[in-house]
């Protein structure tokens, strides 16, 4: 069959060219956006008296019918069509005759596809944000339950200072809150309508782009028609926000993997989110966390692929841009899957406080507090730091720990040491004293929890 665009050529392409050129097997997922956009277009054409009200009604009924039939399965999508836009128009014309052929007045597939992607991403961003919120809630609930659970805080993966597990988890809640913000920000710039830009130059018809934009829930219109059809910044921004969020999920996954190991055993994942080995009976593997970490690379790949596709193409539309969709869809699917599995995995994981506190003890994690003790007794910090370092070195040599080193030994390093030092360097005190805003004290962590919950409520 000759193509709908037959005219300049006879419209007959080689099978291999058709297969190579067509996008319907992936862009059919935007059928709802495509049909909704067409409905608004028909309404605009009538409002501007480019077609009659009666014709618009016929088109509207026809489009509604197509939507209902695709949704019920009565109308299978014809994969021999070039793309979803052609498919809808073809069915419409089959069903309505000549009126169907009027729908494409004053538009092009170039502005149509740009419109569809924006509408598709707008919906997906809402869903992704709701999944991120579920994960933040799971993190916050765990943080609340573990607001006083002491664990070692690390720098360079070396024990650094005692913190609480709740504090650690809330760090991720904060990152994810920023991720939501970035997605919303991207949505704000994206929510402008490109429809009416037509092929590239606008149109000679007396159209009303703002009418159509408003009907479709956009905040305004793209102001340059060349930009409207060739811009995919919104997709790049969306994928950048996703890549960043995946980086957060990946870091968290890495920690979950470490914490689940026998070497750490800070926590145990629920059986429902782990797998076994086909050969080693003792294994309980954190596959979900590993897959999230692994799929992060895939989302980075989606972003880089799109950036690379866009970098060399002149204005305005070029077929290269059809490559945007598979990357966008893959990114959406991957991020949604990762979030959907992360939230219940976090909600059901169990902290093992005794192992955390054991790891926090005896590793000189309170050496900073020892130095601070001397500062409070009047020494300058650098001098106090040096003395504390010497005491740590002594403990390592003599296989002792700060908590139980006798007072007389302490006093050989400085006569400022007194009995009250033991309380000052106890892990509970070390955590409790860190009352600075954002710090690890129980009160401060609860404050962070309140902040995050309020931010979620405010949405
Ligand atoms: N399938 C095309 C895409 O996804 C739609 C736009 C085609 N426009 C054109 N002039 N060939 O990019």
């Amino acid at each position: 069959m000759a193509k709908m665009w037959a005219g300049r050529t006879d419209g007959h392409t080689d099978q291999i060219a058709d297969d190579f050129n067509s996008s319907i097997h992936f862009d059919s997922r935007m059928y709802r956006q495509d049909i909704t956009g067409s409905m608004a277009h028909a309404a605009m054409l009538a409002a501007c008296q480019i077609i009659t009200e009666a014709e618009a009604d016929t088109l509207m009924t026809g489009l509604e019918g197509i939507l209902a039939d695709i949704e019920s399965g009565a109308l299978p999508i014809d994969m021999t069509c070039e793309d979803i836009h052609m498919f809808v128009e073809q069915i419409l014309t089959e069903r309505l005759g000549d009126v169907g052929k009027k729908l494409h007045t004053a538009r092009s597939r170039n502005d149509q596809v740009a419109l569809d992607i924006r509408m598709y991403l707008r919906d997906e961003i809402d869903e992704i944000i709701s999944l991120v919120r579920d994960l933040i809630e799971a993190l916050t609930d765990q943080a609340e339950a573990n607001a006083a659970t002491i664990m070692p805080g690390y720098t360079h993966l070396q024990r650094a200072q005692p913190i609480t597990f709740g504090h650690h988890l809330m760090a991720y809640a904060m990152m994810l809150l920023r991720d939501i913000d970035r997605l919303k920000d991207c949505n704000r710039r994206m929510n402008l309508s490109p429809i009416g830009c037509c092929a590239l130059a606008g149109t000679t018809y007396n159209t009303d782009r703002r009418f159509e934009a408003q009907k479709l829930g956009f905040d305004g219109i793209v102001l340059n028609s060349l930009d409207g059809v060739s811009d995919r910044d919104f997709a790049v921004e969306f994928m950048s926000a996703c890549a960043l969020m995946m980086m957060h999920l990946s870091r968290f996954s890495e920690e979950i993997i470490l914490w689940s190991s026998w070497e750490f055993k800070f926590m145990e994942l629920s059986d429902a989110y782990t797998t076994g080995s086909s050969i080693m009976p003792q294994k309980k593997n954190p596959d979900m966390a590993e897959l999230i970490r692994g799929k992060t690379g895939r989302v980075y790949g989606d972003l880089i692929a799109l950036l690379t596709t866009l970098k060399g193409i002149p204005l305005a539309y070029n077929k290269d841009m059809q490559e945007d969709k598979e990357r966008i869809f893959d990114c959406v699917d991957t991020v949604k899957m990762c979030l959907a599995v992360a939230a219940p995995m976090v909600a059901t994981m169990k902290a093992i406080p005794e192992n955390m506190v054991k790891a926090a003890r005896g590793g000189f994690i309170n050496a900073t507090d020892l130095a601070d003790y001397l500062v409070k007794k009047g020494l300058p910090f650098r001098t106090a730091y040096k003395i504390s370092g010497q005491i740590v070195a002594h403990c390592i040599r003599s296989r002792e720990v700060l908590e139980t080193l006798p007072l007389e030994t302490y006093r050989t390093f400085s006569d400022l040491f007194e009995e009250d030092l033991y309380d000052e360097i106890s892990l509970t005190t070390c955590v409790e004293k860190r009352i600075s805003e954002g710090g690890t004290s129980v009160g401060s962590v609860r404050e962070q929890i309140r902040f995050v919950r309020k931010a979620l409520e405010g949405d």
Side-chain angles (χ1 to χ4, degrees), residues 40 53 73 102 111 114 120 140 146 190 193 196 199 230 294 296 342 352 367 372 375 386 394 419 431 442-443:
E53 286 292 345
K102 294 201 171 188
D111 55 346
Y120 167 82
T140 312
N146 289 287
M190 183 174 72
S193 167
S230 51
T296 301
I352 309 178
D372 286 343
V375 171
K386 186 147 194 215
H394 166 85
E419 197 56 47
V431 164
V442 177

Side-chain angles (χ1 to χ4, degrees), residues 89-139:
E89 194 183 331
Q90 182 182 304
I91 301 294
L92 197 68
T93 307
E94 273 169 30
R95 290 185 177 184
L96 305 181
D98 277 352
V99 183
K101 294 184 187 166
K102 294 201 171 188
L103 177 66
H104 210 54
T105 316
R107 76 170 185 189
S108 147
R109 275 186 299 159
N110 298 351
D111 55 346
Q112 200 180 346
V113 73
L115 175 77
D116 290 3
I117 308 172
R118 284 178 194 245
M119 287 171 63
Y120 167 82
L121 272 182
R122 196 168 68 173
D123 295 343
E124 292 297 348
I125 284 182
D126 285 347
E127 280 189 36
I128 292 172
I129 287 179
S130 134
L131 289 165
V132 184
R133 291 172 61 101
D134 293 346
L135 177 55
I136 296 180
E137 271 161 28
L139 282 165

Side-chain angles (χ1 to χ4, degrees), residues 128-129 131-132 135 175-180 182-183 238-252 292 296 299-300 335-336 339:
I128 292 172
I129 287 179
L131 289 165
V132 184
L135 177 55
M175 295 175 220
L176 292 167
L177 219 47
R178 289 197 295 277
D179 291 326
I180 291 185
R182 263 185 286 271
L183 287 168
F238 166 75
M239 287 157 100
S240 307
C242 288
L244 220 169
M245 175 160 62
M246 288 301 296
M247 179 271 280
H248 293 150
L249 296 187
S250 186
R251 291 180 80 169
F252 186 44
I292 294 172
T296 301
V299 172
Y300 289 3
V335 165
K336 281 168 78 176
L339 288 166

Side-chain angles (χ1 to χ4, degrees), residues 386-402:
K386 186 147 194 215
I387 293 172
S388 302
Q390 286 162 347
I391 297 173
V392 168
H394 166 85
C395 284
I396 292 170
R397 275 195 308 274
S398 54
R399 293 179 190 285
E400 285 175 285
V401 294
L402 295 179

Side-chain angles (χ1 to χ4, degrees), residues 144-216:
E144 184 155 56
N146 289 287
T149 305
I150 291 175
M151 71 179 281
Y154 296 84
T155 62
H156 312 269
L157 204 55
Q158 303 285 320
R159 292 169 188 167
Q161 289 179 346
I163 57 170
T164 67
F165 190 44
H167 191 208
H168 198 116
L169 294 176
M170 285 315 288
Y172 285 103
M174 298 294 179
M175 295 175 220
L176 292 167
L177 219 47
R178 289 197 295 277
D179 291 326
I180 291 185
D181 222 40
R182 263 185 286 271
L183 287 168
K184 285 186 181 166
D185 188 49
C186 156
N187 208 3
R188 191 172 58 76
R189 261 184 302 281
M190 183 174 72
N191 202 29
L192 297 175
S193 167
I195 197 73
C197 291
C198 302
L200 73 163
T203 180
T204 54
Y205 293 98
N206 179 33
T207 52
D208 186 347
R209 289 189 57 203
R210 290 179 193 273
F211 173 97
E212 206 167 335
Q214 203 200 348
K215 254 202 164 342
L216 293 170

Side-chain angles (χ1 to χ4, degrees), residues 1 24 75-83 87 90-91 94:
M1 194 172 69
I24 194 150
L75 176 62
I77 291 179
D78 176 3
M79 290 297 165
T80 63
C81 280
E82 190 177 321
D83 54 33
F87 171 73
Q90 182 182 304
I91 301 294
E94 273 169 30

